[in-house]
Amino acid sequence: MTDSLRFVRSFADADALAQAAAEIIVEAAGKVSGAFALALSGGSTPKRLYHLLATDAYSHRIEWPRAHVFWGDERCVPPDDPTSNYHLARKTLLDHVPIPPENVHRIYGEQEPAQAAALYEQHLRTFFGGPPRFNLILLGMGGDGHTASLFPHTPALAERERWVVASYYAQVQPSWRITLTLPAINAAARVLFLVSGVEKAETLCRVLEGEAAPEDLPARLVQPTDGELFWLMDEAAASRLKT
Ligand code: 6PG
């Protein structure tokens, strides 16, 4: 029996969506007295959220010296590459808040993929000293239903022991990625999906209301074992939902 809760909420537009996500992150940070372990996502959707979290309206509401920032996945590129998820967060958020450098736990995308995955996993095991219970993992959803770098019908979906794996998927560029696996994601206290744009509407409907095999739509496999699952979207992305 799990104690998981699922919340599905839509918002008028991308700005309202980012505000709602920022409020959930601020609330999650305020619920812990010690380290706040936050895993960020990549892609374009979170840019608005990261910029918002860096504004005076929000940056003072998180005790950044207690925050530890990780990534749910990373592209296998150097940290200053414009396609790097670390680069995105650094430029839009981390360079603008008082987070200690040692609290930023990037994935070394510039290393050989399997080595980068093993190093990140070891770092996570050292940090958590037990199950990888992130306080909040932020995720996006691709048009094919992928999340983090868990792509349809790839070996990473079946991983049940390792917390981090290297994954190759020729249909995206860069094709080599490092990703948290489902055991690591589903151990989180909170998972927050952020989905925006009409181009995601059909896939989002299939993920939330359809019967497709989860391997076709990996985002369906995110089911926190004992945590809260938030699906936040704008009305454009929600436009095909029936409920
Ligand atoms: C990445 C992300 C990936 C992303 C989705 C949605 O490294 O690209 O982790 O899972 O969240 O592809 O991307 P958009 O927000 O750009 O649509």
Side-chain angles (χ1 to χ4, degrees):
M1 178 66 185
T2 68
D3 295 323
S4 295
L5 292 170
R6 185 176 103 161
F7 305 91
V8 179
R9 293 173 60 193
S10 68
F11 299 88
D13 54 32
D15 283 332
L17 174 63
Q19 284 178 31
E23 290 296 335
I24 288 173
I25 292 170
V26 165
E27 182 194 13
K31 281 184 174 177
V32 295
S33 53
F36 174 58
L38 169 66
L40 299 178
S41 71
S44 55
T45 302
K47 280 181 190 169
R48 202 181 294 263
L49 168 61
Y50 296 164
H51 280 299
L52 186 62
L53 286 173
T55 62
D56 285 347
Y58 282 94
S59 63
H60 301 306
R61 295 176 58 192
I62 292 177
E63 285 181 60
W64 291 102
R66 284 197 299 109
H68 285 263
V69 168
F70 299 83
W71 278 263
D73 71 323
E74 184 56 281
R75 289 85 180 277
C76 292
V77 295
D80 57 355
D81 187 296
T83 65
S84 157
N85 293 340
Y86 164 80
H87 179 80
L88 167 70
R90 171 58 71 194
K91 292 300 170 199
T92 56
L93 173 57
L94 301 177
D95 280 349
H96 311 285
V97 294
I99 187 167
E102 65 272 18
N103 289 20
V104 179
H105 309 269
R106 76 177 181 88
I107 300 170
Y108 290 97
E110 67 273 28
Q111 292 193 349
E112 187 275 328
Q115 184 180 7
L119 195 62
Y120 190 51
E121 169 143 358
Q122 187 50 54
H123 187 72
L124 293 179
R125 289 184 183 275
T126 302
F127 179 84
F128 287 106
R133 190 141 173 93
F134 286 94
N135 298 107
L136 192 144
I137 297 180
L138 183 64
L139 292 175
M141 187 198 74
D144 60 359
H146 82 261
T147 190
S149 287
L150 298 170
F151 294 97
H153 301 286
T154 53
L157 300 185
E159 180 61 47
R160 292 293 175 270
E161 299 303 325
R162 290 176 293 173
W163 298 354
V164 186
V165 294
S167 171
Y168 181 84
Y169 197 63
Q171 292 88 316
V172 294
Q173 292 301 326
S175 295
W176 273 108
R177 309 282 182 101
I178 309 297
T179 187
L180 289 182
T181 60
L182 290 162
I185 292 171
N186 286 331
R190 249 167 236 87
V191 176
L192 172 54
F193 274 99
L194 221 49
V195 185
S196 174
V198 69
E199 69 279 6
K200 301 283 179 73
E202 176 60 31
T203 301
L204 188 59
C205 181
R206 293 179 62 215
V207 167
L208 293 181
E209 298 179 347
E211 302 295 326
E215 302 73 44
D216 292 339
L217 299 166
R220 292 189 68 187
L221 292 167
V222 175
Q223 304 283 349
T225 309
D226 180 13
E228 296 175 327
L229 176 59
F230 293 87
W231 278 92
L232 304 190
M233 62 211 69
D234 57 20
E235 284 176 2
S239 57
R240 300 291 293 272
L241 295 184
K242 299 169 186 63
T243 52

